[in-house]
């Protein structure tokens, strides 16, 4: 009897100690084995699609990211961040019309979204929509005049869209801040050449060349203008079509 009673007490004592140990240390559970995608989606459908889309886009998986962003927008159409990232993914995939639509959606949601205006401006310009593209870049200049060299970009857009006078106004304004900028002098030389103002063009070409005597474009422009002036002074005329060297 004594032996049996002692054995039973030993078993009960071990069980009692296990209960005490669990109460102080906590019982261990098996670690979760959910995948990254399951973890994201467990936080909520909208947040999951958005975060997964961002992760996919950062890793260059644009097509997959686009699908996740579209799902996120189906749940929350007013998320400007998702609209912007979706527009960028469309642009990277050269889905230009979709990118334009989505950048415009961003601007509807956040009228002063500077990156949306900036990116949209260049897409429109590349597509040949000069007036719209220039308006977007002008909006960037209005929001932040120092953003991403926007003045230079706008001047280039004016020139490429055959608005030479507008380009000249900006380049001359920029020269007041940096009178020795050889690129600005070169651009002005080309612009004045296009307008037929030979002497002013030659003056700007000389300044560009003075800034860097090894600049091939400046040397070529100076040589062209010098030859034109020589022909003009000798009474000869020759109509030529020239393109801006970039």
């Amino acid at each position: 009897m004594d032996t049996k009673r002692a054995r039973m007490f030993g078993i009960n004592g071990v069980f009692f100690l296990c209960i005490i140990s669990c109460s102080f240390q906590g019982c261990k559970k098996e670690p979760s084995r959910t995948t990254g995608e399951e973890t994201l989606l467990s936080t909520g459908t909208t947040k999951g699609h958005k975060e997964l889309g961002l992760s996919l886009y950062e890793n260059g998986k644009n097509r997959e990211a686009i699908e996740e962003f579209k799902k996120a927008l189906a749940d929350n159409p007013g998320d400007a961040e998702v609209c912007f990232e979706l527009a960028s993914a469309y642009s990277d995939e050269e889905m230009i019309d979709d990118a334009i639509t989505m950048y415009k959606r961003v601007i509807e949601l956040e009228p002063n979204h500077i990156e949306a205006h900036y990116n949209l401006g260049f897409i429109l310009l590349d597509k040949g929509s000069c007036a719209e593209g220039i308006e977007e870049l002008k909006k960037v200049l209005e929001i932040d005049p120092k953003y991403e060299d926007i003045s230079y970009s706008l001047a280039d857009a004016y020139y490429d869209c055959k608005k030479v006078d507008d380009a000249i106004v900006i380049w001359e304004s920029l020269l007041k801040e940096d009178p020795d900028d050889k690129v600005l002098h070169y651009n002005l030389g080309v612009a004045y050449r296009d307008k037929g103002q030979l002497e002013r063009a030659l003056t700007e070409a000389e300044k560009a060349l003075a800034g860097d005597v090894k600049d091939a474009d400046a040397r070529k422009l100076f040589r062209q203008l010098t030859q034109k002036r020589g022909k003009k002074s000798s009474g000869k005329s020759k109509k030529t079509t020239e393109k801006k060297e970039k």
Side-chain angles (χ1 to χ4, degrees):
M1 288 290 292
D2 291 339
T3 303
K4 184 176 180 180
R5 190 176 295 135
R7 189 181 299 119
M8 290 297 295
F9 177 79
I11 294 172
N12 290 335
V14 171
F15 180 71
F16 177 75
L17 288 174
C18 286
I19 294 174
I20 294 298
S21 176
C22 270
S23 66
F24 280 97
Q25 299 178 12
C27 296
K28 294 182 180 179
K29 296 182 180 180
E30 287 294 318
S32 173
R33 300 191 179 212
T34 57
T35 64
E37 181 175 346
E38 290 170 343
T39 301
L40 286 170
L41 295 176
S42 68
T43 60
T45 303
T46 302
K47 183 177 180 182
H49 289 307
K50 177 178 179 177
E51 296 301 325
L52 182 56
L54 290 170
S55 177
L56 289 166
Y57 184 55
E58 288 176 0
N59 286 284
K61 298 180 179 180
N62 298 337
R63 292 284 179 170
E64 294 92 333
I66 285 171
E67 292 307 311
E68 292 302 322
F69 289 143
K70 287 164 70 175
K71 291 174 184 177
L73 284 180
D75 294 321
N76 184 8
D79 192 325
E81 181 185 3
V82 172
C83 290
F84 179 80
E85 297 297 338
L86 178 54
S88 299
Y90 279 142
S91 179
D92 290 349
E93 289 298 302
E94 297 185 358
M95 301 168 69
I96 303 305
D97 290 336
D98 291 319
I100 290 173
T101 298
M102 198 51 57
Y103 277 130
K104 288 183 177 180
R105 176 59 179 158
V106 176
I107 293 168
E108 288 177 5
L109 295 169
E110 295 185 12
N112 288 331
H113 196 298
I114 194 166
E115 290 177 285
H117 284 293
Y118 188 78
N119 292 351
L120 178 58
F122 281 107
I123 287 178
L124 290 168
L125 289 168
D126 288 341
K127 194 178 179 182
S129 301
C130 281
E132 287 185 88
I134 286 172
E135 284 306 310
E136 293 301 326
L137 296 187
K138 286 170 67 177
K139 184 63 179 179
V140 174
L141 185 64
E142 178 185 324
I143 297 170
D144 182 1
K146 300 298 182 182
Y147 182 80
E148 294 286 347
D149 292 329
I150 185 60
S151 294
Y152 293 87
S153 298
L154 181 57
D156 288 342
Y158 275 135
Y159 182 88
D160 291 339
C161 291
K162 312 302 180 185
K163 295 180 177 290
V164 179
D165 289 334
D166 291 316
I168 287 174
V169 169
I170 295 179
W171 285 327
E172 288 184 338
S173 177
L174 290 170
L175 268 179
K176 293 178 182 178
E177 300 176 12
D178 187 1
D180 297 324
D181 190 318
K182 65 184 182 66
V183 174
L184 291 175
H185 284 299
Y186 173 80
N187 289 348
L188 281 168
V190 172
Y192 286 130
R193 178 202 64 187
D194 293 350
K195 288 174 62 66
Q197 299 179 18
L198 187 58
E199 293 304 321
R200 297 186 71 175
L202 190 55
T203 298
E204 296 300 333
E206 288 174 341
K207 291 179 180 178
L209 197 55
D212 183 0
V213 294
K214 295 182 180 180
D215 188 319
D217 289 334
R219 292 174 64 184
K220 182 178 180 180
L221 178 62
F222 180 78
R223 185 170 59 252
Q224 289 175 343
L225 293 170
T226 302
Q227 290 172 351
K228 280 190 174 185
R229 185 172 64 175
K231 290 177 181 179
K232 185 176 180 180
S233 63
S234 65
K236 296 179 181 179
S237 63
K238 183 178 180 181
K239 188 175 181 180
T240 59
T241 301
E242 297 173 330
K243 293 182 179 179
K244 176 184 177 184
E245 296 93 13
K246 294 184 179 180

Tab-separated table of all heavy atoms in Angstrom, residues 117-122 125 132-143 150-151 153-158:
chain	number	residue	atom	x	y	z
A	117	HIS	N	2.239	65.735	-61.987
A	117	HIS	CA	2.298	66.779	-63.022
A	117	HIS	C	3.578	66.626	-63.858
A	117	HIS	O	3.542	66.726	-65.092
A	117	HIS	CB	2.273	68.169	-62.388
A	117	HIS	CG	0.929	68.596	-61.893
A	117	HIS	ND1	-0.126	68.851	-62.749
A	117	HIS	CD2	0.466	68.828	-60.642
A	117	HIS	CE1	-1.177	69.233	-62.036
A	117	HIS	NE2	-0.845	69.216	-60.760
A	118	TYR	N	4.690	66.404	-63.176
A	118	TYR	CA	5.994	66.304	-63.842
A	118	TYR	C	6.031	65.122	-64.814
A	118	TYR	O	6.369	65.270	-65.999
A	118	TYR	CB	7.079	66.154	-62.777
A	118	TYR	CG	8.501	66.218	-63.278
A	118	TYR	CD1	9.087	67.444	-63.589
A	118	TYR	CD2	9.271	65.068	-63.401
A	118	TYR	CE1	10.412	67.513	-64.028
A	118	TYR	CE2	10.588	65.130	-63.837
A	118	TYR	CZ	11.153	66.356	-64.152
A	118	TYR	OH	12.460	66.415	-64.582
A	119	ASN	N	5.670	63.938	-64.316
A	119	ASN	CA	5.696	62.744	-65.158
A	119	ASN	C	4.691	62.831	-66.302
A	119	ASN	O	4.990	62.446	-67.445
A	119	ASN	CB	5.418	61.504	-64.315
A	119	ASN	CG	6.531	61.200	-63.331
A	119	ASN	OD1	7.586	61.811	-63.366
A	119	ASN	ND2	6.290	60.263	-62.432
A	120	LEU	N	3.508	63.336	-65.988
A	120	LEU	CA	2.481	63.472	-67.011
A	120	LEU	C	2.938	64.433	-68.106
A	120	LEU	O	2.704	64.191	-69.302
A	120	LEU	CB	1.176	63.962	-66.384
A	120	LEU	CG	-0.001	64.202	-67.338
A	120	LEU	CD1	-0.341	62.939	-68.117
A	120	LEU	CD2	-1.212	64.707	-66.560
A	121	GLY	N	3.590	65.516	-67.707
A	121	GLY	CA	4.081	66.486	-68.678
A	121	GLY	C	5.008	65.860	-69.698
A	121	GLY	O	4.855	66.065	-70.915
A	122	PHE	N	5.957	65.060	-69.239
A	122	PHE	CA	6.914	64.446	-70.162
A	122	PHE	C	6.267	63.376	-71.031
A	122	PHE	O	6.620	63.230	-72.204
A	122	PHE	CB	8.097	63.862	-69.385
A	122	PHE	CG	9.099	64.897	-68.972
A	122	PHE	CD1	9.193	65.297	-67.646
A	122	PHE	CD2	9.927	65.496	-69.902
A	122	PHE	CE1	10.110	66.267	-67.259
A	122	PHE	CE2	10.845	66.469	-69.521
A	122	PHE	CZ	10.936	66.858	-68.198
A	125	LEU	N	4.429	65.229	-73.743
A	125	LEU	CA	5.377	65.792	-74.707
A	125	LEU	C	5.924	64.707	-75.628
A	125	LEU	O	6.036	64.905	-76.845
A	125	LEU	CB	6.517	66.494	-73.981
A	125	LEU	CG	6.165	67.811	-73.278
A	125	LEU	CD1	7.290	68.249	-72.356
A	125	LEU	CD2	5.876	68.913	-74.319
A	132	GLU	N	-0.598	70.426	-73.903
A	132	GLU	CA	-0.913	69.800	-72.621
A	132	GLU	C	0.344	69.534	-71.807
A	132	GLU	O	0.376	69.749	-70.591
A	132	GLU	CB	-1.658	68.488	-72.848
A	132	GLU	CG	-3.085	68.630	-73.308
A	132	GLU	CD	-3.776	67.280	-73.377
A	132	GLU	OE1	-4.330	66.842	-72.355
A	132	GLU	OE2	-3.741	66.657	-74.458
A	133	GLY	N	1.379	69.041	-72.484
A	133	GLY	CA	2.622	68.736	-71.779
A	133	GLY	C	3.249	69.972	-71.168
A	133	GLY	O	3.710	69.959	-70.012
A	134	ILE	N	3.271	71.065	-71.919
A	134	ILE	CA	3.835	72.320	-71.422
A	134	ILE	C	3.032	72.838	-70.222
A	134	ILE	O	3.603	73.329	-69.239
A	134	ILE	CB	3.890	73.367	-72.544
A	134	ILE	CG1	5.032	73.023	-73.520
A	134	ILE	CG2	4.084	74.781	-71.985
A	134	ILE	CD1	5.064	73.878	-74.764
A	135	GLU	N	1.715	72.709	-70.281
A	135	GLU	CA	0.880	73.159	-69.165
A	135	GLU	C	1.198	72.393	-67.888
A	135	GLU	O	1.195	72.964	-66.789
A	135	GLU	CB	-0.603	73.014	-69.516
A	135	GLU	CG	-1.121	74.074	-70.466
A	135	GLU	CD	-0.851	75.491	-69.972
A	135	GLU	OE1	-1.177	75.788	-68.802
A	135	GLU	OE2	-0.303	76.292	-70.745
A	136	GLU	N	1.464	71.096	-68.014
A	136	GLU	CA	1.808	70.304	-66.839
A	136	GLU	C	3.148	70.749	-66.249
A	136	GLU	O	3.304	70.858	-65.031
A	136	GLU	CB	1.853	68.809	-67.193
A	136	GLU	CG	0.515	68.213	-67.564
A	136	GLU	CD	-0.532	68.341	-66.468
A	136	GLU	OE1	-0.171	68.285	-65.273
A	136	GLU	OE2	-1.723	68.494	-66.805
A	137	LEU	N	4.136	71.014	-67.104
A	137	LEU	CA	5.437	71.474	-66.613
A	137	LEU	C	5.331	72.873	-66.004
A	137	LEU	O	6.014	73.185	-65.013
A	137	LEU	CB	6.470	71.452	-67.737
A	137	LEU	CG	6.821	70.081	-68.320
A	137	LEU	CD1	7.982	70.206	-69.297
A	137	LEU	CD2	7.157	69.078	-67.226
A	138	LYS	N	4.482	73.707	-66.575
A	138	LYS	CA	4.260	75.042	-65.998
A	138	LYS	C	3.641	74.926	-64.608
A	138	LYS	O	3.929	75.739	-63.719
A	138	LYS	CB	3.364	75.865	-66.925
A	138	LYS	CG	4.078	76.363	-68.180
A	138	LYS	CD	3.112	76.963	-69.185
A	138	LYS	CE	2.490	78.243	-68.691
A	138	LYS	NZ	1.608	78.850	-69.720
A	139	LYS	N	2.780	73.928	-64.418
A	139	LYS	CA	2.172	73.710	-63.103
A	139	LYS	C	3.238	73.314	-62.093
A	139	LYS	O	3.219	73.770	-60.941
A	139	LYS	CB	1.102	72.616	-63.206
A	139	LYS	CG	0.334	72.383	-61.917
A	139	LYS	CD	-0.450	73.611	-61.481
A	139	LYS	CE	-1.235	73.351	-60.214
A	139	LYS	NZ	-1.983	74.549	-59.754
A	140	VAL	N	4.188	72.477	-62.527
A	140	VAL	CA	5.300	72.097	-61.642
A	140	VAL	C	6.093	73.337	-61.243
A	140	VAL	O	6.442	73.521	-60.073
A	140	VAL	CB	6.229	71.075	-62.335
A	140	VAL	CG1	7.464	70.800	-61.473
A	140	VAL	CG2	5.477	69.780	-62.619
A	141	LEU	N	6.386	74.197	-62.210
A	141	LEU	CA	7.133	75.423	-61.948
A	141	LEU	C	6.390	76.310	-60.951
A	141	LEU	O	7.000	76.944	-60.088
A	141	LEU	CB	7.362	76.184	-63.252
A	141	LEU	CG	8.233	77.446	-63.182
A	141	LEU	CD1	9.661	77.097	-62.780
A	141	LEU	CD2	8.229	78.169	-64.532
A	142	GLU	N	5.072	76.322	-61.055
A	142	GLU	CA	4.252	77.123	-60.142
A	142	GLU	C	4.285	76.563	-58.729
A	142	GLU	O	4.368	77.310	-57.754
A	142	GLU	CB	2.809	77.125	-60.666
A	142	GLU	CG	1.822	77.877	-59.797
A	142	GLU	CD	0.402	77.736	-60.296
A	142	GLU	OE1	0.204	77.699	-61.534
A	142	GLU	OE2	-0.528	77.650	-59.472
A	143	ILE	N	4.242	75.240	-58.607
A	143	ILE	CA	4.232	74.603	-57.283
A	143	ILE	C	5.593	74.716	-56.611
A	143	ILE	O	5.706	75.042	-55.423
A	143	ILE	CB	3.830	73.121	-57.401
A	143	ILE	CG1	2.402	73.000	-57.947
A	143	ILE	CG2	3.922	72.424	-56.044
A	143	ILE	CD1	2.010	71.579	-58.316
A	150	ILE	N	13.264	72.245	-63.261
A	150	ILE	CA	12.064	72.370	-64.073
A	150	ILE	C	12.169	73.499	-65.091
A	150	ILE	O	11.631	73.400	-66.201
A	150	ILE	CB	10.816	72.555	-63.174
A	150	ILE	CG1	9.526	72.575	-64.019
A	150	ILE	CG2	10.944	73.800	-62.323
A	150	ILE	CD1	9.295	71.324	-64.813
A	151	SER	N	12.873	74.581	-64.755
A	151	SER	CA	13.007	75.696	-65.708
A	151	SER	C	13.725	75.244	-66.974
A	151	SER	O	13.328	75.601	-68.093
A	151	SER	CB	13.763	76.861	-65.066
A	151	SER	OG	13.015	77.422	-64.004
A	153	SER	N	13.891	72.169	-68.123
A	153	SER	CA	13.010	71.230	-68.816
A	153	SER	C	11.917	71.961	-69.583
A	153	SER	O	11.582	71.589	-70.716
A	153	SER	CB	12.378	70.253	-67.811
A	153	SER	OG	13.362	69.475	-67.165
A	154	LEU	N	11.359	72.994	-68.961
A	154	LEU	CA	10.301	73.749	-69.625
A	154	LEU	C	10.838	74.482	-70.850
A	154	LEU	O	10.188	74.513	-71.907
A	154	LEU	CB	9.668	74.738	-68.639
A	154	LEU	CG	8.519	75.595	-69.176
A	154	LEU	CD1	7.394	74.725	-69.727
A	154	LEU	CD2	7.991	76.521	-68.075
A	155	ALA	N	12.027	75.055	-70.728
A	155	ALA	CA	12.641	75.741	-71.866
A	155	ALA	C	12.889	74.768	-73.023
A	155	ALA	O	12.620	75.075	-74.190
A	155	ALA	CB	13.946	76.406	-71.444
A	156	ASP	N	13.397	73.590	-72.698
A	156	ASP	CA	13.616	72.574	-73.737
A	156	ASP	C	12.299	72.184	-74.397
A	156	ASP	O	12.243	71.965	-75.614
A	156	ASP	CB	14.276	71.336	-73.132
A	156	ASP	CG	15.733	71.570	-72.761
A	156	ASP	OD1	16.327	72.548	-73.263
A	156	ASP	OD2	16.288	70.768	-71.974
A	157	ALA	N	11.245	72.070	-73.586
A	157	ALA	CA	9.932	71.717	-74.133
A	157	ALA	C	9.436	72.802	-75.082
A	157	ALA	O	8.902	72.508	-76.159
A	157	ALA	CB	8.935	71.507	-72.996
A	158	TYR	N	9.617	74.051	-74.688
A	158	TYR	CA	9.219	75.158	-75.564
A	158	TYR	C	9.966	75.068	-76.898
A	158	TYR	O	9.372	75.212	-77.972
A	158	TYR	CB	9.537	76.491	-74.905
A	158	TYR	CG	8.477	77.006	-73.944
A	158	TYR	CD1	8.841	77.531	-72.702
A	158	TYR	CD2	7.132	76.991	-74.295
A	158	TYR	CE1	7.876	78.021	-71.827
A	158	TYR	CE2	6.168	77.486	-73.423
A	158	TYR	CZ	6.543	77.993	-72.196
A	158	TYR	OH	5.590	78.480	-71.338
